[in-house]
Amino acid sequence: MFNKKGLYVFMLMFVLSIALIACGGDSDDAGNGADTDAETDSGNDDAAASGEQINLKFAHEEGQGDVQDLYANKFKELIEEKSDGNITVDVYTAGQLGSNMDVLQSLQTGAIEIAITSPGFSGDVIPESQIMAIPFLFSDNLEVNKKVLNESEALYGPLAEKYEEKGITPFKFWLEGFMWWTANKEITTPDDMKGVKMRTMPTSLIIKSYELMGANPTPTDSGEIYTMLQTKGIDGQENPLFYVYSSNFHEVQDYLMDSKHHIYTTVTAANQDFFEGLSQENQDLIREVVKEVNDWSFDMQDEEAEKALEGIKTEDIEIVELTSEQRQAFKELSLDAREEYKKESDAAKEIIETLEKEIEEAEAELGE
Ligand code: 6CS
């Protein structure tokens, strides 16, 4: 049938076709049925399944040792462990990759793969994310807020879609603690708040909320707060306790008000193209680790708040309690912010009405 030469050619053809089939097979197994071409093009994706290295830039908005930094490094620790080192993470603190707004844009373009980005900075890019900017909307019971931020249909449905429309995949919304006011005067009534130059994050609904409460809101990036307080460019600001203490605001402020007028919320998210380019296996792994870190972060932020309060009590700043009547007076003034939010879009109206119901139901279950 074959002379010697014919036999060699046949053998060679046979070996070559085996080799070709072997190469083609790999990507199919690991991928999620998505087209392989896309997967092999962009360096990082799907590498883990085949043992290659995936390196993630994980940016956040705070300093070393702050709540977001502890979160990002916990993520790094767990994802590197669970991926046997196939996925590695470089964590970047505030300012290392530009301002908080720059980080948001880099997350949209894919220059950064993963980031913690707060609605206080994304509000003008994703107007519906300003739901997180409305004072006195969430519960005074942090367990209620934890449950809602973890399970809300409003947040993981219509709101998540709005992030995706901007090229961002939101994994989990989470909280960093109650917001407190600091100022160079005591503020317990709306009269006290009149004309106070209150620093806010640069989102229009936060600014509107402070105008409604009588203040003179001054939006700035986080890096400018200390100097502006020191030089009296602003009179006060709002932040969770850990951030007040780690930013040394007690050095340049005389009063710390237990206003609990809001909770600091944020979201852990990825660049959509990058994330959807990963294999299902890697997508599942990242989601699993984010969920684990998210659950862990609730107790962590609680501990950080307690530690900060103990520290602040040793400093030269007066801590002022607000009565529930005093808080109620501010709440009533801020209610118009909800109407403002509803005007953003039909989705916004659906989000706030659903979220208000979810908070009510969780309070009925867990207590106010
Ligand atoms: O007030 C701010 O701008 C900052 N506060 C916190 C708690 N995290 C980051 C944010 O930039």
Side-chain angles (χ1 to χ4, degrees):
M1 191 166 95
F2 292 105
N3 60 24
K4 239 191 209 154
K5 193 157 162 273
L7 187 60
Y8 285 144
V9 172
F10 172 75
M11 289 299 291
L12 187 60
M13 294 292 290
F14 180 68
V15 170
L16 272 178
S17 55
I18 297 290
L20 268 176
I21 292 166
C23 296
D26 275 0
S27 52
D28 285 343
D29 303 341
N32 49 13
D35 65 359
T36 51
D37 298 352
E39 283 175 3
T40 51
D41 290 354
S42 51
N44 252 334
D45 52 11
D46 209 26
S50 53
E52 283 177 71
Q53 279 295 321
I54 291 180
N55 179 252
L56 305 177
K57 290 185 285 308
F58 190 139
H60 65 77
E61 307 163 323
E62 296 173 359
Q64 214 137 32
D66 279 340
V67 163
Q68 289 186 8
D69 192 53
L70 297 174
Y71 185 112
N73 282 290
K74 187 73 176 177
F75 176 87
K76 172 183 170 64
E77 176 200 325
L78 291 179
I79 199 88
E80 291 182 350
E81 182 194 307
K82 291 179 184 247
S83 71
D84 301 321
N86 286 320
I87 301 180
T88 58
V89 178
D90 295 330
V91 174
Y92 294 88
T93 57
Q96 286 189 299
L97 298 179
S99 71
N100 295 340
M101 292 299 284
D102 296 335
V103 165
L104 177 64
Q105 269 142 23
S106 299
L107 187 64
Q108 288 183 278
T109 62
I112 292 173
E113 288 85 9
I114 294 199
I116 298 171
T117 178
S118 301
F121 294 92
S122 62
D124 294 349
V125 175
I126 307 163
E128 290 79 7
S129 70
Q130 297 184 95
I131 184 74
M132 303 293 184
I134 302 171
F136 298 102
L137 174 69
F138 281 90
S139 174
D140 291 348
N141 178 345
L142 276 185
E143 289 288 346
V144 165
N145 300 326
K146 176 188 175 188
K147 178 177 172 58
V148 170
L149 288 171
N150 225 1
E151 301 166 8
S152 163
E153 282 169 21
L155 302 183
Y156 295 103
L159 181 57
E161 281 160 26
K162 290 297 171 186
Y163 276 82
E164 282 152 6
E165 283 172 17
K166 295 288 167 36
I168 293 173
T169 300
F171 295 131
K172 278 288 181 185
F173 295 91
W174 55 288
L175 61 88
E176 300 187 42
F178 278 115
M179 293 284 240
W180 294 51
W181 288 322
T182 66
N184 49 20
K185 61 179 275 191
E186 188 169 325
I187 300 175
T188 55
T189 67
D191 271 354
D192 299 333
M193 185 66 91
K194 276 216 173 69
V196 170
K197 286 182 286 182
M198 207 66 175
R199 180 269 172 178
T200 71
M201 287 179 274
T203 274
S204 30
L205 199 57
I206 298 178
I207 296 165
K208 179 72 185 173
S209 304
Y210 274 93
E211 284 166 355
L212 289 169
M213 291 193 277
N216 171 4
T218 311
T220 75
D221 195 52
S222 50
E224 299 157 46
I225 306 172
Y226 186 93
T227 310
M228 288 188 77
L229 289 171
Q230 192 177 39
T231 57
K232 308 277 182 248
I234 50 178
D235 303 317
Q237 62 85 48
E238 59 166 4
N239 253 302
L241 283 175
F242 82 86
Y243 199 78
V244 169
Y245 194 47
S246 70
S247 308
N248 298 315
F249 293 155
H250 50 272
E251 292 172 356
V252 284
Q253 297 271 258
D254 303 321
Y255 296 91
L256 169 66
M257 269 63 68
D258 183 6
S259 52
K260 290 197 176 75
H261 58 284
H262 200 4
I263 50 172
Y264 189 97
T265 56
T266 193
V267 64
T268 307
N271 168 266
Q272 191 178 32
D273 291 344
F274 159 74
F275 187 68
E276 291 180 359
L278 293 175
S279 67
Q280 198 55 49
E281 189 186 346
N282 297 330
Q283 292 185 25
D284 296 348
L285 180 59
I286 288 175
R287 285 190 188 281
E288 176 201 316
V289 171
V290 169
K291 180 164 183 347
E292 190 173 337
V293 177
N294 227 59
D295 295 343
W296 167 84
S297 74
F298 185 75
D299 295 340
M300 176 267 282
Q301 60 80 30
D302 235 11
E303 282 153 28
E304 294 304 310
E306 270 165 39
K307 277 195 287 184
L309 188 57
E310 288 321 303
I312 289 171
K313 282 179 179 166
T314 67
E315 306 289 350
D316 180 21
I317 186 168
E318 189 174 331
I319 300 178
V320 179
E321 295 281 332
L322 269 72
T323 64
S324 51
E325 292 75 28
Q326 288 170 330
R327 292 181 65 232
Q328 186 60 26
F330 284 109
K331 178 172 182 173
E332 275 152 27
L333 287 176
S334 73
L335 290 177
D336 278 354
R338 300 183 193 207
E339 300 315 310
E340 282 295 314
Y341 177 75
K342 288 177 187 169
K343 294 180 196 157
E344 287 291 348
S345 64
D346 294 344
K349 196 166 178 304
E350 181 195 350
I351 291 166
I352 191 167
E353 288 171 357
T354 309
L355 190 65
E356 284 173 331
K357 258 201 234 90
E358 289 170 334
I359 293 170
E360 244 171 66
E361 284 159 12
E363 282 187 335
E365 188 190 329
L366 301 171
E368 287 193 15

